[in-house]
Amino acid sequence: MNVTLTIHGIAKTAGSKRVFHVRRKDGSLVFGKGGIPITNVTDDCKGSKQWRKIVQYQARDQWPHGLAPFDCALEVVFRFFVVRPKAHYRTGKFASTLRDDAPPFPSVKPDVLKLARALEDALTGIAWVDDALICGEYIEKRWSDETRTPFVTVDIGPREVKPRPWQLNFWGDATEASVRDALAKGGA
């Protein structure tokens, strides 16, 4: 069974961390057991905690009733839809028309890996038992031209064991040799 979730909101990233030492008012370091300075680790992205709560709330609301989180190898597709800046559109009576030089893809920050990482962590315990179960992942960032609102779609399903086209012989059957050769070359 595959599940599709739609999460509305501006996606935030996860992955970048900031580490700093705990200091007293006089500026001296605070030491813990064994004389090691105490450090704090925080997310570098502002708003990531709030985004996580939004994702969890909407995912719980959309998750099929009675379906437990997946506990098997998974394939996941993340599609992040971002809003185009106003500068991509014409002005005046043509304000709803894209300019000729508007970029076709949102090839700007934030990067898709960090966006996906935030969703992987937020959906742990709701969509899957552990994000380590994700064996195949496709991530893309698109413009939200139709709705002009930011959102994310997440397609989740069990990873199917199926031969790849290069692993098939003339009759369409997977051969042990072709699978072994493909694995040796780094495919699968």
Side-chain angles (χ1 to χ4, degrees):
M1 172 183 198
N2 289 356
V3 177
T4 298
L5 304 173
T6 302
I7 310 296
H8 297 275
I10 299 172
K12 301 293 181 183
T13 60
S16 296
K17 306 289 183 199
R18 188 180 320 163
V19 179
F20 57 92
H21 293 290
V22 176
R23 298 184 180 272
R24 293 187 178 89
K25 288 182 182 178
D26 66 358
S28 63
L29 291 174
V30 176
F31 292 93
K33 293 180 181 178
I36 300 171
I38 297 175
T39 58
N40 277 344
V41 180
T42 61
D43 257 327
D44 203 21
C45 176
K46 292 178 181 174
S48 63
K49 278 187 181 178
Q50 185 64 24
W51 171 242
R52 182 185 185 111
K53 289 178 183 178
I54 289 169
V55 169
Q56 290 173 339
Y57 177 79
Q58 292 185 35
R60 280 189 189 102
D61 189 48
Q62 295 175 39
W63 195 253
H65 181 71
L67 181 64
F70 285 105
D71 193 10
C72 61
L74 295 172
E75 287 185 346
V76 180
V77 177
F78 295 109
R79 288 189 178 91
F80 295 89
F81 292 86
V82 295
V83 178
R84 281 185 182 271
K86 209 172 189 180
H88 287 197
Y89 294 94
R90 298 177 189 271
T91 58
K93 65 179 182 177
F94 299 107
S96 63
T97 306
L98 278 176
R99 296 169 44 125
D100 293 336
D101 61 348
F105 302 104
S107 54
V108 294
K109 288 186 176 188
D111 73 68
V112 293
L113 290 175
K114 291 181 181 176
L115 290 170
R117 192 173 303 149
L119 279 178
E120 288 172 359
D121 293 341
L123 292 172
T124 297
I126 299 169
W128 40 74
V129 174
D130 185 355
D131 58 359
L133 294 168
I134 300 172
C135 296
E137 189 171 75
Y138 178 76
I139 312 165
E140 69 177 353
K141 200 169 36 167
R142 298 179 179 180
W143 294 118
S144 177
D145 287 334
E146 293 176 22
T147 63
R148 294 197 186 179
T149 59
F151 66 98
V152 182
T153 62
V154 184
D155 298 318
I156 309 157
R159 180 89 188 238
E160 295 179 16
V161 179
K162 54 186 174 188
R164 305 293 190 231
W166 62 85
Q167 297 170 337
L168 301 177
N169 63 19
F170 180 77
W171 299 276
D173 300 321
T175 65
E176 185 179 337
S178 65
V179 173
R180 186 178 57 247
D181 292 345
L183 289 172
K185 292 177 185 174

